[in-house]
Amino acid sequence: MKVYLFRHGQKNSLPFEDPDLTAFGHQQANKLAELIRNGDLLKGTQFLASPRIRAQSTLRPASALCEASLQVISDLDQRTSYESAEAFRARINQTLNSLEKKFSSHDVVYLCSHHDWIEESLSLIPADTDLLDSRYWSWRPAQYMQFEVVDGLWHLKNFNKVEP
């Protein structure tokens, strides 16, 4: 299985609770689809997004291009104000552990979430690379990591940013 872990594109500041992407963020989302069309990124078979509008908007053009449905997964949401750090970490861990059970070795899965989710996930992903290394600390909008998952081990293939 191949996994692309994405932070959503650049977001608006309003409405505060659940903003969509800025015009630049939509350009990032369209560029993601273009990278797939051009063969720079693998054609996705599964597209999973947080319930937040900005995460869905980031993956929508790519999922449409790949003719795959965009699945909204509540476990990809950012940490809520009533959620303890332990519960948040357990939710992320459960999500990561379920991927190999849900998808085949031939699937290419695009996950789109939020900075806090990604930051916590890096401490939980069983990787061949130290994902807590300082070069992976900064996750700008539309930043992503590409992994190949084999027998539970996540092999880091790429760490990059979608630039329109």
Side-chain angles (χ1 to χ4, degrees), residues 144-163:
Y144 69 92
M145 280 184 164
Q146 176 190 3
F147 295 94
E148 183 171 358
V149 182
V150 179
D151 296 327
L153 187 62
W154 294 48
H155 302 272
L156 181 62
K157 299 297 182 185
N158 194 359
F159 180 56
N160 211 337
K161 181 178 180 191
V162 174
E163 297 282 356

Side-chain angles (χ1 to χ4, degrees), residues 6 10 38-40 42 50 78 98 111 114 122 126 139 147 158:
F6 269 86
Q10 184 183 71
N38 294 343
D40 297 315
L42 298 173
S50 155
Q78 63 194 19
S98 71
L111 301 175
H114 308 274
L122 296 181
W139 276 73
F147 295 94
N158 194 359

Side-chain angles (χ1 to χ4, degrees), residues 21-128:
L21 300 175
T22 62
F24 184 73
H26 282 288
Q27 288 176 355
Q28 290 172 315
N30 290 328
K31 181 64 176 186
L32 167 57
E34 183 183 319
L35 290 170
I36 294 170
R37 183 175 23 268
N38 294 343
D40 297 315
L41 297 179
L42 298 173
K43 183 178 179 183
T45 59
Q46 305 291 331
F47 290 84
L48 313 177
S50 155
R52 305 292 171 159
I53 292 169
R54 59 192 176 270
Q56 295 171 52
S57 292
T58 300
L59 291 185
R60 191 168 287 114
S63 68
L65 171 75
C66 296
E67 299 178 348
S69 64
L70 178 61
Q71 300 172 54
V72 176
I73 308 295
S74 61
D75 285 344
L76 290 173
D77 201 359
Q78 63 194 19
R79 184 176 170 191
T80 62
S81 58
Y82 60 85
E83 189 173 31
S84 71
E86 295 79 21
F88 182 54
R89 185 173 173 84
R91 172 165 56 92
I92 294 168
N93 198 40
Q94 177 183 353
T95 304
L96 294 170
N97 289 335
S98 71
L99 291 175
E100 277 191 285
K101 295 173 188 150
K102 287 183 180 178
F103 304 114
S104 79
S105 61
H106 302 292
D107 275 313
V108 177
V109 181
Y110 281 74
L111 301 175
C112 188
S113 192
H114 308 274
H115 189 270
D116 64 345
W117 198 99
I118 292 167
E119 185 177 57
E120 190 66 36
S121 74
L122 296 181
S123 70
L124 296 168
I125 292 172
D128 65 343

